[in-house]
Amino acid sequence: LLSPIVTLGTHDYLEFWQYLDTQRACDGGRIEIYAGGRWTLLTPENGYPVAYVAALDGPGFSGSSPWSRVRCDLRDYAGGSVRFRWVFAADGSGQGQGWFLDDIRTIGFSNFAGKISGTLQLDGSAPELSEVWIGKPSDLAVNPNPELAYTLYLPLGAHHASSFAPGYSIHTSDALELSLSDPSLQQNFVIHELKPVAGITSSHTENVLTLHWEAPAEPFFPITGYRVSRRMNAGAFESVSESAEPEYSESLAAPNRYQYYVQVLYAEGESLPSATLSVELPFPEDPPTPAATKLLANFPNPFNSSTTISFDLATPQRAELTVYNLRGQLVNSLCVQQLEPGRHHVTWDGRDAGRRAVASGVYFYRLDTSDYTETRKMLLMK
């Protein structure tokens, strides 16, 4: 159970009524408070009746209790904006009705708080709203609504508010002074996309693998470099290179499944990762130079989380590989770059340009070159 944001006065209490029917010391509940950018345990006036509840791995309310009042002193958080949550856990070894709460309130709540409201403007693909925040760094923040409007309640005083979204620059306001005479202020935010690369391709000679990509077109900020991350088999991704050039080479020795992604680096931050490229060592034997440009069937198809799309180029040329939904709307650009003749492989991980997972269904992938266009169908099944 999670409370809304509450701005506290100089001497406030949290008060609520509870009824408890659990297996003592095994199941139970506790109260936590969010302040200073983290959640911590909130102890009631008379302490928790059970010093250790197994399912909570710490103190809490446990056992059986009729309806009773609980109070928590909040003076240590005076003047701040906080949230409360009630956490219940059970180890499954017993049965009971659980933990019931009623009449939750703060006593002595101060009305002397202000609010900052406004809108957020993004110039790129919209991320998940749950990942977009507006507020004070390391303190309280809120998500905007679907119209990208927000309202942030803060205690009276001077504040700097910031907007944050993954893959975007951070916009921090000038000092905003909330006072009794001016308790409501307007602050709009504009943040710019840190453009990612459209996709990466690979080539190899013997055991040397080279990754290729193109710089994002018309980025809002100057590019300072690129970071390449790699993992082997099911291991964790690790950064293996940072350079100014849109290319990376390494010698691979051990037979493995290698996966790579690229992020664009800016002075203002870093872009979202590109789609992941998978490479198997030993490399498959190179087929002869194709006689004609052709878009091949993706594999696997249907697929669950990712699929590999292959295509042949008969001559050096610029190739664009894109994914569309059934409505004909662009979902993602997987490759937009000049490529050499040969067979090329691009992995699509089932995400759109904003790195959000797309829904199950039928999608189309299209290859465009100067003298060739073809579209094929694939099925994503989760």
Side-chain angles (χ1 to χ4, degrees):
L1 177 64
L2 184 64
S3 79
I5 297 172
V6 177
T7 301
L8 302 175
T10 57
H11 191 172
D12 285 357
Y13 290 87
L14 172 67
E15 180 181 281
F16 62 93
W17 287 76
Q18 70 170 0
Y19 174 86
L20 201 62
D21 179 22
T22 66
Q23 186 175 3
R24 185 174 178 82
C26 295
D27 317 322
R30 68 183 178 208
I31 321 158
E32 296 178 351
I33 186 169
Y34 184 83
R38 62 192 183 101
W39 288 99
T40 55
L41 181 70
L42 183 61
T43 303
E45 281 187 325
N46 299 320
Y48 285 102
V50 179
Y52 185 82
V53 180
L56 295 172
D57 193 25
F61 300 108
S62 185
S64 298
S65 170
W67 283 104
S68 58
R69 186 177 64 179
V70 178
R71 294 184 71 183
C72 302
D73 192 333
L74 302 175
R75 280 178 291 183
D76 289 344
Y77 308 95
S81 295
V82 302
R83 299 183 83 174
F84 306 100
R85 69 181 178 189
W86 288 257
V87 179
F88 180 80
D91 65 4
S93 63
Q95 294 185 346
Q97 297 183 64
W99 191 24
F100 297 85
L101 306 172
D102 195 13
D103 197 18
I104 300 171
R105 59 180 179 168
T106 51
I107 302 172
F109 176 83
S110 171
N111 289 320
F112 299 119
K115 70 176 182 179
I116 301 170
S117 57
T119 59
L120 174 65
Q121 181 180 341
L122 305 94
D123 64 359
S125 302
E128 295 284 352
L129 291 180
S130 61
E131 297 179 342
V132 181
W133 294 93
I134 299 169
K136 299 183 64 178
S138 302
D139 204 338
L140 291 173
V142 295
N143 304 115
N145 63 23
E147 288 71 44
L148 296 181
Y150 76 95
T151 299
L152 177 67
Y153 292 93
L154 294 169
L156 301 183
H159 302 280
H160 291 274
S162 300
S163 58
F164 169 82
Y168 279 82
S169 61
I170 295 175
H171 178 182
T172 300
S173 70
D174 296 330
L176 302 168
E177 185 74 38
L178 295 170
S179 63
L180 289 175
S181 60
D182 196 6
S184 180
L185 298 177
Q186 184 82 11
Q187 173 65 47
N188 296 327
F189 292 92
V190 178
I191 55 178
H192 301 283
E193 185 180 25
L194 304 173
K195 286 191 172 183
V197 299
I200 52 179
T201 59
S202 66
S203 61
H204 65 270
T205 56
E206 296 184 355
N207 281 358
V208 177
L209 173 73
T210 302
L211 306 182
H212 313 269
W213 61 89
E214 285 197 359
E218 299 180 354
F220 189 86
F221 302 105
I223 296 172
T224 61
Y226 302 92
R227 178 186 298 129
V228 179
S229 296
R230 178 196 67 196
R231 75 173 178 184
M232 294 183 288
N233 293 331
F237 276 101
E238 297 180 349
S239 174
V240 293
S241 172
E242 288 191 10
S243 72
E245 300 301 322
E247 185 175 283
Y248 168 73
S249 295
E250 68 171 325
S251 179
L252 303 179
N256 268 309
R257 181 170 182 258
Y258 297 85
Q259 293 180 291
Y260 300 86
Y261 66 75
V262 176
Q263 291 171 282
V264 186
L265 304 180
Y266 301 86
E268 293 74 13
E270 59 191 33
S271 74
L272 292 173
S274 68
T276 302
L277 175 72
S278 296
V279 177
E280 299 277 353
L281 189 69
F283 297 122
E285 292 186 8
D286 287 333
T289 300
T293 297
K294 184 177 181 181
L295 179 63
L296 306 174
N298 65 299
F299 181 82
N301 189 26
F303 65 98
N304 182 350
S305 57
S306 66
T307 187
T308 298
I309 301 171
S310 302
F311 57 92
D312 291 337
L313 294 180
T315 59
Q317 55 188 304
R318 185 175 180 83
E320 182 172 352
L321 184 64
T322 48
V323 177
Y324 294 84
N325 60 23
L326 280 171
R327 297 181 178 179
Q329 298 167 321
L330 178 65
V331 174
N332 208 340
S333 294
L334 304 182
C335 173
V336 184
Q337 58 183 289
Q338 182 74 22
L339 297 174
E340 293 300 314
R343 179 158 295 179
H344 300 271
H345 311 278
V346 179
T347 300
W348 183 45
D349 57 2
R351 294 180 179 272
D352 65 13
R355 306 302 299 144
R356 296 170 295 188
V358 300
S360 297
V362 174
Y363 292 87
F364 300 93
Y365 59 101
R366 188 174 79 189
L367 176 65
D368 289 289
T369 70
S370 60
D371 56 3
Y372 178 89
T373 296
E374 185 173 350
T375 302
R376 301 189 71 146
K377 182 168 66 175
M378 56 185 168
L379 178 61
L380 171 59
M381 297 178 64
K382 295 183 179 180

